[in-house]
Amino acid sequence: QVQLVESGGGLVQAGGSLRLSCAASGRTFSTYAMGWFRLAPGKEREFVATINWSGGSTYYADSVKGRFTISRDNAKNTVYLQMNSLKPEDTAIYYCAAVRNVGSDLFVSRDGYRYWGQGTQVTVSS
């Protein structure tokens, strides 16, 4: 089992940047594929980005491709989401998620993840 804690959210102006972090408990973080999702008011939770266990494979939603970067540091049990060129429509609660997998699989469906953090609020003002 793994517990996830997000941090790094906040209020930023359009065009600005934020880096979200997700710290995982336990000694087996490197055996988990990780993902970021977001929940905006009035919308369903949507996929943002995912990274495989080694960090060698990543995949992004079209809406964030070229602006967001997912990465991980297995020595620190942490996955990151660097968000640049933020837009008001990026405003949401951002969640990280984990699923045990040491293959090259990438998980874009929220149903594929077993563990979730509590979320961190990102607000982008215009």
Side-chain angles (χ1 to χ4, degrees):
Q1 187 171 352
V2 63
Q3 293 182 324
L4 306 172
V5 179
E6 302 95 335
S7 61
L11 173 64
V12 64
Q13 288 188 332
S17 298
L18 282 174
R19 188 176 81 155
L20 306 184
S21 299
C22 173
S25 65
R27 294 176 290 180
T28 59
F29 177 72
S30 62
T31 64
Y32 286 83
M34 303 296 295
W36 285 96
F37 288 75
R38 65 187 182 185
L39 179 62
K43 297 186 177 181
E44 294 188 353
R45 191 174 301 195
E46 67 171 356
F47 166 76
V48 175
T50 183
I51 189 167
N52 77 326
W53 67 277
S54 68
S57 296
T58 58
Y59 186 77
Y60 299 89
D62 287 342
S63 58
V64 307
K65 199 172 297 181
R67 300 188 298 122
F68 291 10
T69 302
I70 189 171
S71 62
R72 65 189 298 159
D73 185 338
N74 285 344
K76 295 183 178 180
N77 282 16
T78 302
V79 63
Y80 304 97
L81 186 68
Q82 178 66 45
M83 306 186 295
N84 299 328
S85 302
L86 283 161
K87 305 175 181 180
E89 52 263 43
D90 294 318
T91 295
I93 301 172
Y94 283 72
Y95 299 88
C96 70
V99 59
R100 194 103 184 242
N101 185 279
V102 293
S104 59
D105 308 81
L106 295 170
F107 298 85
V108 300
S109 170
R110 57 189 180 185
D111 293 336
Y113 290 88
R114 181 169 184 181
Y115 303 104
W116 291 84
Q118 293 300 306
T120 185
Q121 176 71 48
V122 171
T123 303
V124 184
S125 66
S126 56

